[in-house]
Amino acid sequence: MIRLRYLIIGLLVSLGCSVFSFPSEPLAAVPSIRHHQLIVELIPSTHQLIVTDHLTVEAAPGTQSVEFSLASSLHVERIELDSCTPPCQPSEVKFETTVVPEHPGTQRLTLHVPFDGGQVARIGLMVRYAGEINDPPRDPRHLRFVTPSETAGYIGSEGVYLSSETQWYPDIEGSLATYDLSISVPDGWSVVSQGAMEQDGRRWAVSTSSEALTVVANRFVVKTRDWKSRSGQPIQLAAYLFPEEAALAEEYLDASARYLDAYIPLLGPYPFPKFAVVENFFSSGLGMPSFTLLGSGVIKRHYTQPYALGHEIVHSWIGNGVFNRIDRGNWVEGLTTYLSNYYYHELTGEEAQAREQRRLMILGYSVYVGPGSDYPVAAFTRKSDEKDNAIGYQKAAMVFHMLRREIGEAGFWQGVRTLVSRYQGQAADWQELETVFEETAGRELRWFFAQWVESDGAPGLSFEASKIPSLDKNRTDLNVRIDQGQSQRRFHLELEFLLSDGARHSVEVVVASPTQQFTITLPGRPLSMRVDPNFQLFRRIPRSDMPPMLNLYVTDRRRTLVMLSGRESGATEPLRGLIQRIQAQEQNKPENERTVVVEDQGGDPLPAGSILILGGFAERPPASALLRECGDRLHMTGKGFAVGGRAYDGSTKALLVSCHRQAMPGSVVTLLYGVTPEAASTVARLLFFYGWQSYVVFDEGKVVARGDWDDRMNAEVRLESN
């Protein structure tokens, strides 16, 4: 399951257990659950869960005890021995239940059973238990980053969500089990789980090994479609939506079919009997084996884009078909991001959008990962903030892109298919990926994984070019010096030249040292040069070369928020909540890392660093500074504003605009302005989701225009004329 996991690694270490065991191993060094047969009753009105679990455990010869984890809110009523191989006497078997002090929400069930002999032990147990699952979803603690609402699990009148974090059934960490689930819910409710649905949704069979079992229940309107892919594979498509969104079912079923048809030829047969889009009663975007769980907010927004529904469908193969060894890094999100968020644009011929995705991956890393906070891709396990997202998703995706360029199309795609087929129902780590791609490339790749996966950082590029005197007027020889800063990596680099006849000429070089010189022969006189014009290389961009945007304010170490009161009575009030949210978000930070909040500024000079201005526009120092820095790009009018060469008038208009502070490279001044207080307040609630453009124009809270300026990420540099 692709989700935020709270691993009880400390508990397992204290038990002397390694974190994972896998069915492919001949003997399980650690006890592992192979199958659960669960009979479940859900009572939403009282948050109650009642379960009988018949489970099968496998252990190595000589095992003396088996440890299970279970939520401490669940009371174990009975444990019985169903079977025992080699045979054991029930009188020899003992159980005990203890609380885990370091994990107050977890209890430990210990089965003492003395096994001798040289064969694998197989134990059948019946565990009956009941209790309350009542951790209501809470809003995430991030202002600028989309994360699911936070809950370990919930049974209530709003809905049911039970996952591995809930610990709602006895488990041994690292087990890869199959499941049979029989479940009872109130009339009018429907259940969704993994695998194949039987008996009108009250019984589910999971025949492929899975890391965990997730159960969701609510008052759904269910729409199904029996469908065959172009390859002939039958797959049941389904949509479980609330009545208010039921009309969107066909749109989601059509999109699911479209993505499955795109990825089956690339990745092989779809691993499950169904794929379902399921609406959730709290904010989420989670991919489970055979279904995705999406919050109502995103369902309403037609969440069918490649980075959305396409991403969750790719997880069916990558993450829910082949698993992570989470203690050895998370490669799953990087490869899934590459195949969905990025490669789908290539697959459908959208070359401009594919280039833009590469640019945004590089930009996201350069904005959110400072040299002092970087870490290797191999160290990424899960995302908690924007930095993790930039490394574990964006940088990792670009690593796969560069691997593809390094070993070629045939070797790369054969490697992806080999990975999926070889490790289906098992776990793989970065080392095993390296082995697979070395096989399909037919050569050693240790250097590639060492520099891009196991090392932090990224090269920064600068260059110098000078002409070499020549008597041949039909060609020009250039001496080009490439400097990759503190980095010492080997990579392919494209150089593009604009020639005097208007033609563009590209040359690819291999850079293998911190500073390297090349002699380039061109079929004409060059006027300008661009380095990596198509963003094929993962690299660090200086802040001063990025387009100005709100996210440069967010990531500046020195930030000041200025509230302008405006001339209208109460004009600042709609923005007070935004300031309070920022202060609450930063309350645990050291004081020197918090945003400084000031009113108006009066006649004082503007402070150093980046500045965010909120409120009505007036002739005060912050407003004047903004106009100076933006120059002709921004004009304020009596009825509105003009930006990007176009005027926007009217009481419903609002503007978010950023410009570089010319005297302070890397810092920006940003304004959130509404023609009326109501126009600004409509935008303020989601302000930090609009952080990637130099300007964003809103009408009644909806984006009507956006754009960038001062983007020097791969600017064309003039060369000396003859």
Side-chain angles (χ1 to χ4, degrees):
M1 181 195 308
I2 302 304
R3 64 221 183 278
L4 297 176
R5 300 193 65 192
Y6 303 97
L7 300 174
I8 314 174
I9 293 176
L11 167 61
L12 295 169
V13 172
S14 72
L15 299 176
C17 301
S18 61
V19 178
F20 291 101
S21 64
F22 303 100
S24 59
E25 297 173 0
L27 292 179
V30 178
S32 179
I33 298 173
R34 296 309 190 193
H35 184 71
H36 291 270
Q37 184 177 340
L38 293 150
I39 303 170
V40 178
E41 182 179 1
L42 300 173
I43 309 174
S45 60
T46 57
H47 313 292
Q48 292 295 306
L49 172 74
I50 303 170
V51 180
T52 299
D53 185 9
H54 293 269
L55 55 107
T56 303
V57 181
E58 184 177 284
T63 297
Q64 300 296 303
S65 64
V66 180
E67 310 277 357
F68 306 90
S69 62
L70 188 69
S72 59
S73 64
L74 300 175
H75 172 65
V76 178
E77 299 172 353
R78 191 174 179 182
I79 304 178
E80 294 180 355
L81 187 68
D82 281 345
S83 61
C84 194
T85 305
C88 55
Q89 297 298 321
S91 60
E92 299 176 324
V93 180
K94 299 179 182 179
F95 304 97
E96 63 177 327
T97 302
T98 57
V99 175
V100 182
E102 61 269 35
H103 298 282
T106 302
Q107 60 181 312
R108 180 187 302 151
L109 310 180
T110 305
L111 165 68
H112 296 283
V113 50
F115 274 120
D116 296 319
Q119 61 180 306
V120 173
R122 298 185 189 278
I123 309 162
L125 295 176
M126 186 280 290
V127 184
R128 185 170 297 153
Y129 55 94
E132 187 177 275
I133 302 294
N134 186 16
D135 181 21
R138 302 169 300 283
D139 287 338
R141 294 165 290 184
H142 307 285
L143 283 176
R144 303 175 296 274
F145 188 66
V146 181
T147 56
S149 293
E150 295 168 351
T151 176
Y154 183 70
I155 300 173
S157 58
E158 305 94 327
V160 172
Y161 172 71
L162 304 175
S163 73
S164 65
E165 286 81 27
T166 313
Q167 300 181 92
W168 64 278
Y169 55 84
D171 196 20
I172 299 172
E173 185 69 36
S175 293
L176 297 175
T178 56
Y179 302 82
D180 282 312
L181 171 67
S182 297
I183 191 160
S184 139
V185 291
D187 289 341
W189 285 61
S190 300
V191 175
V192 187
S193 190
Q194 295 153 223
M197 179 182 70
E198 302 173 6
Q199 297 179 359
D200 297 327
R202 301 303 173 96
R203 188 165 184 272
W204 294 82
V206 183
S207 58
T208 55
S209 298
S210 185
E211 296 176 294
L213 183 69
T214 297
V215 169
V216 175
N218 218 310
R219 302 171 186 85
F220 294 119
V221 175
V222 183
K223 178 77 173 179
T224 62
R225 180 188 298 177
D226 292 327
W227 176 81
K228 279 189 177 181
S229 70
R230 290 173 185 163
S231 64
Q233 182 181 2
I235 302 168
Q236 185 186 65
L237 305 180
Y240 291 74
L241 304 180
F242 298 154
E244 297 82 0
E245 283 74 59
L248 299 176
E250 292 294 338
E251 178 181 349
Y252 279 96
L253 295 178
D254 289 344
S256 298
R258 185 168 64 250
Y259 288 119
L260 288 167
D261 264 337
Y263 288 110
I264 287 173
L266 283 176
L267 302 175
Y270 177 69
F272 306 107
K274 76 164 193 310
F275 180 79
V277 175
V278 184
E279 187 169 0
N280 198 9
F281 63 98
F282 61 85
S283 174
S284 65
L286 303 172
M288 318 296 184
S290 78
F291 72 96
T292 182
L293 187 62
L294 307 176
S296 289
V298 294
I299 288 285
K300 293 172 184 176
R301 294 201 295 271
H302 307 271
Y303 197 72
T304 59
Q305 303 91 334
Y307 62 80
L309 184 60
H311 186 100
E312 305 304 341
I313 285 177
V314 170
H315 270 316
S316 302
W317 288 271
I318 310 296
N320 290 323
V322 180
F323 311 126
N324 270 323
R325 283 191 171 101
I326 198 67
D327 61 323
R328 304 184 196 176
N330 180 345
W331 57 270
V332 158
E333 292 299 351
L335 183 52
T336 300
T337 298
Y338 183 65
L339 295 175
S340 55
N341 303 41
Y342 168 74
Y343 184 69
Y344 189 80
H345 296 295
E346 269 199 46
L347 195 61
T348 55
E350 300 173 305
E351 291 297 333
Q353 187 59 39
R355 179 183 182 276
E356 176 64 7
Q357 288 301 312
R358 296 192 296 268
R359 187 186 80 89
L360 289 174
M361 289 173 180
I362 295 168
L363 182 61
Y365 171 85
S366 300
V367 167
Y368 280 111
V369 184
S373 63
D374 206 349
Y375 62 81
V377 166
F380 169 74
T381 56
R382 67 183 187 190
K383 66 178 176 183
S384 299
D385 56 25
E386 295 88 343
K387 177 184 67 178
D388 297 328
N389 186 67
I391 294 173
Y393 287 64
Q394 311 303 328
K395 179 179 180 180
M398 281 296 294
V399 168
F400 284 107
H401 183 68
M402 292 185 294
L403 177 62
R404 179 180 158 206
R405 296 189 73 219
E406 177 66 34
I407 68 176
E409 295 292 304
F412 179 79
W413 294 113
Q414 184 185 347
V416 171
R417 286 188 290 271
T418 300
L419 173 69
V420 170
S421 61
R422 182 177 298 175
Y423 291 97
Q424 188 71 232
Q426 302 178 49
D429 58 28
W430 280 109
Q431 183 175 347
E432 284 152 338
L433 264 69
E434 180 180 336
T435 299
V436 166
F437 283 109
E438 284 186 334
E439 289 177 10
T440 59
R443 58 188 171 94
E444 182 266 338
L445 294 170
R446 175 89 286 268
W447 66 271
F448 181 92
F449 284 84
Q451 77 174 26
W452 289 116
V453 175
E454 298 166 10
S455 302
D456 62 9
L461 296 181
S462 61
F463 70 91
E464 295 178 358
S466 58
K467 295 179 182 178
I468 300 173
S470 173
L471 297 177
D472 189 343
K473 295 182 179 181
N474 296 318
R475 74 173 198 181
T476 301
D477 291 332
L478 281 183
N479 185 39
V480 179
R481 179 176 181 268
I482 302 293
D483 190 336
Q484 57 172 302
Q486 301 296 318
S487 176
Q488 184 167 354
R489 283 173 162 79
R490 171 184 165 187
F491 51 83
H492 296 265
L493 182 64
E494 182 186 2
L495 309 176
E496 182 187 82
F497 300 89
L498 174 62
L499 304 180
S500 58
D501 62 1
R504 291 190 178 273
H505 184 81
S506 293
V507 176
E508 186 174 281
V509 298
V510 176
V511 179
S513 59
T515 300
Q516 198 162 342
Q517 296 198 33
F518 303 91
T519 299
I520 309 293
T521 299
L522 301 173
R525 182 168 61 88
L527 302 179
S528 62
M529 172 180 171
R530 287 197 300 171
V531 174
D532 189 30
N534 293 301
F535 301 104
Q536 304 282 9
L537 171 69
F538 188 79
R539 52 195 170 98
R540 182 177 292 282
I541 306 296
R543 288 172 65 90
S544 57
D545 285 351
M546 302 177 198
M549 54 184 161
L550 177 63
N551 283 338
L552 287 182
Y553 162 83
V554 167
T555 55
D556 202 328
R557 300 193 61 155
R558 294 177 295 180
R559 300 179 306 280
T560 301
L561 189 153
V562 180
M563 172 66 79
L564 298 179
S565 61
R567 295 170 182 170
E568 304 91 344
S569 175
T572 61
E573 292 310 312
L575 302 175
R576 295 289 179 191
L578 175 62
I579 296 175
Q580 292 169 1
R581 286 169 54 216
I582 292 172
Q583 291 174 327
Q585 170 81 6
E586 298 180 349
Q587 62 182 349
N588 294 326
K589 288 185 176 182
E591 190 167 349
N592 64 347
E593 295 181 13
R594 298 179 192 172
T595 299
V596 176
V597 179
V598 298
E599 296 272 351
D600 281 339
Q601 280 285 292
D604 296 334
L606 289 180
S610 291
I611 300 168
L612 173 59
I613 304 169
L614 301 178
F617 202 87
E619 292 300 326
R620 292 185 175 88
S624 300
L626 176 78
L627 290 174
R628 282 197 308 272
E629 300 289 11
C630 291
D632 291 337
R633 298 186 179 95
L634 174 65
H635 300 281
M636 310 308 295
T637 66
K639 297 180 180 179
F641 50 85
V643 64
R646 181 176 173 183
Y648 299 90
D649 295 335
S651 61
T652 59
K653 300 295 193 301
L655 172 67
L656 177 67
V657 59
S658 301
C659 295
H660 280 299
R661 297 192 71 177
Q662 301 303 325
M664 299 178 187
S667 292
V668 296
V669 56
T670 299
L671 170 71
L672 172 60
Y673 167 68
V675 176
T676 61
E678 293 75 18
S681 64
T682 303
V683 175
R685 185 175 64 88
L686 296 175
L687 177 66
F688 291 100
F689 292 105
Y690 301 104
W692 293 106
Q693 278 81 40
S694 299
Y695 66 89
V696 186
V697 180
F698 304 87
D699 188 6
E700 296 183 339
K702 297 179 180 178
V703 176
V704 296
R706 64 177 81 202
D708 288 320
W709 45 53
D710 290 343
D711 184 355
R712 298 185 289 270
M713 287 178 61
N714 66 351
E716 206 148 13
V717 177
R718 300 289 297 179
L719 298 176
E720 278 186 33
S721 59
N722 288 334

